[in-house]
Amino acid sequence: MRGFSLIELLVTLAIMGLLAGLAVPVVQTVQQRRQERELREALRELRRAIDDYKYAAEAGRIPRTGGSTPYPKTLDLLVDGVADLTSPTQSKVFFLRRLPQDPFMAGTGTPGEAVWGLRSYSSEPDNPKEGEDVYDVYSLSERVGLNGVPYRKW
């Protein structure tokens, strides 16, 4: 007499199922936005470090091999550091503390530089290829962003 009827329980379960069904896409979108923000920050950090390396090479602070571009040979070089030619103590110049990870490639078990696509100075913007230096980086994810642009094109 004091409990719920079967109809009341079924209606309650149906309402709860409908609410859960509406919440799942919202949670997925929020998670994708967070990952997109992390990707933007990682790309900005890497590109800033590559530019800082270039400016240091052009200013004569770090060694530059003859005839090569002022861009780093690898991303790991930004973390490992380069000897500062202007320092009397031969200290190193560091451009990154660590390589940021691509949030869309996280969990793949791929370490460090291998999670990023690398574009050399001599490659075309529409068809990026690796070469003797690192001019730019891009995501290797096959996914498409909420704005309709693939992450590889960011």
Side-chain angles (χ1 to χ4, degrees), residues 45-121:
E45 183 178 358
L46 283 168
R47 289 171 176 159
R48 185 179 315 120
I50 291 169
D51 288 342
D52 289 346
Y53 183 98
K54 175 188 179 274
Y55 296 139
E58 289 175 341
R61 283 192 68 197
I62 58 177
R64 199 172 148 188
T65 57
S68 69
T69 64
Y71 295 99
K73 302 288 181 202
T74 65
L75 289 179
D76 291 329
L77 193 60
L78 301 173
V79 176
D80 297 340
V82 183
D84 187 351
L85 299 176
T86 62
S87 170
T89 61
Q90 296 298 316
S91 62
K92 286 186 168 184
V93 179
F94 298 95
F95 300 95
L96 287 173
R97 291 185 179 160
R98 62 175 176 77
L99 279 178
Q101 291 293 312
D102 182 345
F104 293 102
M105 299 297 286
T108 61
T110 309
E113 188 172 310
V115 299
W116 297 104
L118 307 177
R119 175 182 166 218
S120 76
Y121 183 74

